[in-house]
PDB file of all heavy atoms in Angstrom:
ATOM      1  N   MET F  71     -54.175  10.269 -26.282  1.00  0.00           N
ATOM      2  CA  MET F  71     -55.552   9.912 -26.565  1.00  0.00           C
ATOM      3  C   MET F  71     -55.895   8.545 -25.966  1.00  0.00           C
ATOM      4  O   MET F  71     -55.068   7.611 -26.015  1.00  0.00           O
ATOM      5  CB  MET F  71     -55.735   9.837 -28.098  1.00  0.00           C
ATOM      6  CG  MET F  71     -57.112   9.484 -28.554  1.00  0.00           C
ATOM      7  SD  MET F  71     -57.158   9.306 -30.392  1.00  0.00           S
ATOM      8  CE  MET F  71     -57.875  10.861 -30.845  1.00  0.00           C
ATOM      9  N   LYS F  72     -57.050   8.461 -25.356  1.00  0.00           N
ATOM     10  CA  LYS F  72     -57.494   7.205 -24.751  1.00  0.00           C
ATOM     11  C   LYS F  72     -58.466   6.500 -25.709  1.00  0.00           C
ATOM     12  O   LYS F  72     -59.609   7.010 -25.914  1.00  0.00           O
ATOM     13  CB  LYS F  72     -58.163   7.424 -23.417  1.00  0.00           C
ATOM     14  CG  LYS F  72     -57.226   7.823 -22.314  1.00  0.00           C
ATOM     15  CD  LYS F  72     -57.945   7.865 -20.983  1.00  0.00           C
ATOM     16  CE  LYS F  72     -57.056   8.346 -19.826  1.00  0.00           C
ATOM     17  NZ  LYS F  72     -56.661   9.781 -19.988  1.00  0.00           N
ATOM     18  N   VAL F  73     -58.041   5.396 -26.334  1.00  0.00           N
ATOM     19  CA  VAL F  73     -58.880   4.691 -27.325  1.00  0.00           C
ATOM     20  C   VAL F  73     -59.418   3.401 -26.676  1.00  0.00           C
ATOM     21  O   VAL F  73     -58.634   2.608 -26.138  1.00  0.00           O
ATOM     22  CB  VAL F  73     -58.043   4.348 -28.606  1.00  0.00           C
ATOM     23  CG1 VAL F  73     -58.884   3.478 -29.553  1.00  0.00           C
ATOM     24  CG2 VAL F  73     -57.607   5.650 -29.273  1.00  0.00           C
ATOM     25  N   GLU F  74     -60.729   3.221 -26.740  1.00  0.00           N
ATOM     26  CA  GLU F  74     -61.324   1.964 -26.299  1.00  0.00           C
ATOM     27  C   GLU F  74     -61.689   1.185 -27.562  1.00  0.00           C
ATOM     28  O   GLU F  74     -62.350   1.769 -28.471  1.00  0.00           O
ATOM     29  CB  GLU F  74     -62.595   2.216 -25.491  1.00  0.00           C
ATOM     30  CG  GLU F  74     -62.425   2.918 -24.172  1.00  0.00           C
ATOM     31  CD  GLU F  74     -63.776   3.394 -23.620  1.00  0.00           C
ATOM     32  OE1 GLU F  74     -64.704   2.544 -23.571  1.00  0.00           O
ATOM     33  OE2 GLU F  74     -63.895   4.579 -23.324  1.00  0.00           O
ATOM     34  N   SER F  75     -61.297  -0.062 -27.637  1.00  0.00           N
ATOM     35  CA  SER F  75     -61.591  -0.900 -28.819  1.00  0.00           C
ATOM     36  C   SER F  75     -62.226  -2.216 -28.479  1.00  0.00           C
ATOM     37  O   SER F  75     -63.267  -2.607 -28.957  1.00  0.00           O
ATOM     38  CB  SER F  75     -60.334  -1.038 -29.696  1.00  0.00           C
ATOM     39  OG  SER F  75     -60.576  -1.918 -30.765  1.00  0.00           O
ATOM     40  N   GLU F  76     -61.565  -2.979 -27.629  1.00  0.00           N
ATOM     41  CA  GLU F  76     -62.044  -4.350 -27.340  1.00  0.00           C
ATOM     42  C   GLU F  76     -62.968  -4.426 -26.154  1.00  0.00           C
ATOM     43  O   GLU F  76     -63.048  -5.436 -25.484  1.00  0.00           O
ATOM     44  CB  GLU F  76     -60.845  -5.303 -27.110  1.00  0.00           C
ATOM     45  CG  GLU F  76     -59.862  -5.353 -28.282  1.00  0.00           C
ATOM     46  CD  GLU F  76     -60.100  -6.507 -29.207  1.00  0.00           C
ATOM     47  OE1 GLU F  76     -60.344  -7.627 -28.750  1.00  0.00           O
ATOM     48  OE2 GLU F  76     -60.090  -6.288 -30.439  1.00  0.00           O
ATOM     49  N   THR F  77     -63.699  -3.356 -25.882  1.00  0.00           N
ATOM     50  CA  THR F  77     -64.679  -3.435 -24.745  1.00  0.00           C
ATOM     51  C   THR F  77     -65.888  -4.188 -25.179  1.00  0.00           C
ATOM     52  O   THR F  77     -66.232  -4.299 -26.374  1.00  0.00           O
ATOM     53  CB  THR F  77     -65.079  -2.008 -24.317  1.00  0.00           C
ATOM     54  OG1 THR F  77     -65.790  -1.368 -25.369  1.00  0.00           O
ATOM     55  CG2 THR F  77     -63.846  -1.190 -23.959  1.00  0.00           C
ATOM     56  N   ASP F  78     -66.657  -4.653 -24.226  1.00  0.00           N
ATOM     57  CA  ASP F  78     -67.924  -5.423 -24.519  1.00  0.00           C
ATOM     58  C   ASP F  78     -68.865  -4.551 -25.312  1.00  0.00           C
ATOM     59  O   ASP F  78     -69.513  -4.986 -26.228  1.00  0.00           O
ATOM     60  CB  ASP F  78     -68.601  -5.873 -23.221  1.00  0.00           C
ATOM     61  CG  ASP F  78     -67.850  -7.027 -22.591  1.00  0.00           C
ATOM     62  OD1 ASP F  78     -66.938  -7.574 -23.237  1.00  0.00           O
ATOM     63  OD2 ASP F  78     -68.170  -7.371 -21.407  1.00  0.00           O
ATOM     64  N   GLU F  79     -68.915  -3.281 -24.931  1.00  0.00           N
ATOM     65  CA  GLU F  79     -69.849  -2.334 -25.600  1.00  0.00           C
ATOM     66  C   GLU F  79     -69.527  -2.225 -27.070  1.00  0.00           C
ATOM     67  O   GLU F  79     -70.388  -2.379 -27.943  1.00  0.00           O
ATOM     68  CB  GLU F  79     -69.721  -0.944 -24.976  1.00  0.00           C
ATOM     69  CG  GLU F  79     -70.636   0.111 -25.563  1.00  0.00           C
ATOM     70  CD  GLU F  79     -70.287   1.524 -25.171  1.00  0.00           C
ATOM     71  OE1 GLU F  79     -69.124   1.739 -24.742  1.00  0.00           O
ATOM     72  OE2 GLU F  79     -71.145   2.395 -25.237  1.00  0.00           O
ATOM     73  N   ILE F  80     -68.251  -1.979 -27.399  1.00  0.00           N
ATOM     74  CA  ILE F  80     -67.858  -1.767 -28.824  1.00  0.00           C
ATOM     75  C   ILE F  80     -67.917  -3.082 -29.615  1.00  0.00           C
ATOM     76  O   ILE F  80     -68.422  -3.085 -30.722  1.00  0.00           O
ATOM     77  CB  ILE F  80     -66.464  -1.086 -28.877  1.00  0.00           C
ATOM     78  CG1 ILE F  80     -66.610   0.318 -28.269  1.00  0.00           C
ATOM     79  CG2 ILE F  80     -65.989  -1.003 -30.299  1.00  0.00           C
ATOM     80  CD1 ILE F  80     -65.312   0.989 -27.962  1.00  0.00           C
ATOM     81  N   GLN F  81     -67.453  -4.182 -29.012  1.00  0.00           N
ATOM     82  CA  GLN F  81     -67.537  -5.475 -29.725  1.00  0.00           C
ATOM     83  C   GLN F  81     -68.992  -5.806 -29.957  1.00  0.00           C
ATOM     84  O   GLN F  81     -69.320  -6.416 -31.020  1.00  0.00           O
ATOM     85  CB  GLN F  81     -66.874  -6.593 -28.897  1.00  0.00           C
ATOM     86  CG  GLN F  81     -65.351  -6.398 -28.699  1.00  0.00           C
ATOM     87  CD  GLN F  81     -64.557  -6.602 -29.949  1.00  0.00           C
ATOM     88  OE1 GLN F  81     -64.665  -5.857 -30.894  1.00  0.00           O
ATOM     89  NE2 GLN F  81     -63.690  -7.624 -29.962  1.00  0.00           N
ATOM     90  N   GLY F  82     -69.896  -5.453 -29.060  1.00  0.00           N
ATOM     91  CA  GLY F  82     -71.306  -5.669 -29.262  1.00  0.00           C
ATOM     92  C   GLY F  82     -71.882  -4.919 -30.454  1.00  0.00           C
ATOM     93  O   GLY F  82     -72.605  -5.448 -31.247  1.00  0.00           O
ATOM     94  N   TYR F  83     -71.470  -3.641 -30.511  1.00  0.00           N
ATOM     95  CA  TYR F  83     -71.873  -2.810 -31.671  1.00  0.00           C
ATOM     96  C   TYR F  83     -71.382  -3.433 -32.983  1.00  0.00           C
ATOM     97  O   TYR F  83     -72.084  -3.528 -33.954  1.00  0.00           O
ATOM     98  CB  TYR F  83     -71.311  -1.402 -31.579  1.00  0.00           C
ATOM     99  CG  TYR F  83     -72.195  -0.447 -30.806  1.00  0.00           C
ATOM    100  CD1 TYR F  83     -71.786   0.120 -29.618  1.00  0.00           C
ATOM    101  CD2 TYR F  83     -73.435  -0.059 -31.296  1.00  0.00           C
ATOM    102  CE1 TYR F  83     -72.575   0.988 -28.921  1.00  0.00           C
ATOM    103  CE2 TYR F  83     -74.253   0.820 -30.598  1.00  0.00           C
ATOM    104  CZ  TYR F  83     -73.823   1.348 -29.408  1.00  0.00           C
ATOM    105  OH  TYR F  83     -74.618   2.232 -28.721  1.00  0.00           O
ATOM    106  N   ARG F  84     -70.098  -3.831 -32.967  1.00  0.00           N
ATOM    107  CA  ARG F  84     -69.482  -4.397 -34.202  1.00  0.00           C
ATOM    108  C   ARG F  84     -70.242  -5.678 -34.599  1.00  0.00           C
ATOM    109  O   ARG F  84     -70.429  -5.919 -35.811  1.00  0.00           O
ATOM    110  CB  ARG F  84     -68.000  -4.714 -33.933  1.00  0.00           C
ATOM    111  CG  ARG F  84     -67.146  -3.487 -33.826  1.00  0.00           C
ATOM    112  CD  ARG F  84     -65.749  -3.858 -33.341  1.00  0.00           C
ATOM    113  NE  ARG F  84     -64.907  -2.687 -33.229  1.00  0.00           N
ATOM    114  CZ  ARG F  84     -63.806  -2.645 -32.504  1.00  0.00           C
ATOM    115  NH1 ARG F  84     -63.369  -3.708 -31.837  1.00  0.00           N
ATOM    116  NH2 ARG F  84     -63.091  -1.552 -32.444  1.00  0.00           N
ATOM    117  N   LYS F  85     -70.624  -6.480 -33.614  1.00  0.00           N
ATOM    118  CA  LYS F  85     -71.294  -7.721 -33.947  1.00  0.00           C
ATOM    119  C   LYS F  85     -72.649  -7.382 -34.642  1.00  0.00           C
ATOM    120  O   LYS F  85     -73.030  -7.991 -35.636  1.00  0.00           O
ATOM    121  CB  LYS F  85     -71.563  -8.534 -32.661  1.00  0.00           C
ATOM    122  CG  LYS F  85     -72.115  -9.905 -32.970  1.00  0.00           C
ATOM    123  CD  LYS F  85     -71.903 -10.829 -31.795  1.00  0.00           C
ATOM    124  CE  LYS F  85     -73.206 -10.848 -30.955  1.00  0.00           C
ATOM    125  NZ  LYS F  85     -73.091 -11.871 -29.852  1.00  0.00           N
ATOM    126  N   ARG F  86     -73.348  -6.379 -34.143  1.00  0.00           N
ATOM    127  CA  ARG F  86     -74.606  -5.974 -34.756  1.00  0.00           C
ATOM    128  C   ARG F  86     -74.381  -5.496 -36.231  1.00  0.00           C
ATOM    129  O   ARG F  86     -75.186  -5.761 -37.086  1.00  0.00           O
ATOM    130  CB  ARG F  86     -75.298  -4.839 -33.966  1.00  0.00           C
ATOM    131  CG  ARG F  86     -75.911  -5.351 -32.677  1.00  0.00           C
ATOM    132  CD  ARG F  86     -77.204  -6.083 -32.936  1.00  0.00           C
ATOM    133  NE  ARG F  86     -77.887  -6.566 -31.726  1.00  0.00           N
ATOM    134  CZ  ARG F  86     -77.941  -7.810 -31.310  1.00  0.00           C
ATOM    135  NH1 ARG F  86     -77.389  -8.774 -32.054  1.00  0.00           N
ATOM    136  NH2 ARG F  86     -78.581  -8.134 -30.222  1.00  0.00           N
ATOM    137  N   VAL F  87     -73.277  -4.790 -36.419  1.00  0.00           N
ATOM    138  CA  VAL F  87     -72.969  -4.314 -37.794  1.00  0.00           C
ATOM    139  C   VAL F  87     -72.773  -5.494 -38.746  1.00  0.00           C
ATOM    140  O   VAL F  87     -73.297  -5.555 -39.863  1.00  0.00           O
ATOM    141  CB  VAL F  87     -71.708  -3.388 -37.799  1.00  0.00           C
ATOM    142  CG1 VAL F  87     -71.223  -3.136 -39.218  1.00  0.00           C
ATOM    143  CG2 VAL F  87     -72.054  -2.071 -37.099  1.00  0.00           C
ATOM    144  N   VAL F  88     -72.012  -6.513 -38.298  1.00  0.00           N
ATOM    145  CA  VAL F  88     -71.748  -7.698 -39.126  1.00  0.00           C
ATOM    146  C   VAL F  88     -73.049  -8.438 -39.371  1.00  0.00           C
ATOM    147  O   VAL F  88     -73.324  -8.921 -40.503  1.00  0.00           O
ATOM    148  CB  VAL F  88     -70.674  -8.589 -38.507  1.00  0.00           C
ATOM    149  CG1 VAL F  88     -70.502  -9.853 -39.291  1.00  0.00           C
ATOM    150  CG2 VAL F  88     -69.378  -7.829 -38.389  1.00  0.00           C
ATOM    151  N   GLN F  89     -73.906  -8.541 -38.313  1.00  0.00           N
ATOM    152  CA  GLN F  89     -75.194  -9.172 -38.525  1.00  0.00           C
ATOM    153  C   GLN F  89     -76.049  -8.456 -39.552  1.00  0.00           C
ATOM    154  O   GLN F  89     -76.755  -9.061 -40.355  1.00  0.00           O
ATOM    155  CB  GLN F  89     -75.946  -9.266 -37.173  1.00  0.00           C
ATOM    156  CG  GLN F  89     -75.325 -10.305 -36.236  1.00  0.00           C
ATOM    157  CD  GLN F  89     -75.868 -10.263 -34.847  1.00  0.00           C
ATOM    158  OE1 GLN F  89     -76.132  -9.167 -34.256  1.00  0.00           O
ATOM    159  NE2 GLN F  89     -76.061 -11.412 -34.193  1.00  0.00           N
ATOM    160  N   MET F  90     -75.968  -7.126 -39.563  1.00  0.00           N
ATOM    161  CA  MET F  90     -76.689  -6.351 -40.583  1.00  0.00           C
ATOM    162  C   MET F  90     -76.194  -6.700 -41.976  1.00  0.00           C
ATOM    163  O   MET F  90     -76.972  -6.859 -42.901  1.00  0.00           O
ATOM    164  CB  MET F  90     -76.498  -4.827 -40.370  1.00  0.00           C
ATOM    165  CG  MET F  90     -77.320  -4.307 -39.245  1.00  0.00           C
ATOM    166  SD  MET F  90     -77.076  -2.498 -39.178  1.00  0.00           S
ATOM    167  CE  MET F  90     -77.151  -2.201 -37.429  1.00  0.00           C
TER     168      MET F  90
END
Side-chain angles (χ1 to χ4, degrees):
Chain F
M71 181 185 257
K72 289 188 183 65
V73 175
E74 294 167 52
S75 177
E76 302 263 316
T77 64
D78 287 350
E79 179 194 22
I80 294 166
Q81 296 289 66
Y83 272 115
R84 289 172 179 159
K85 189 162 96 176
R86 285 286 182 252
V87 168
V88 176
Q89 286 170 322
M90 284 184 215

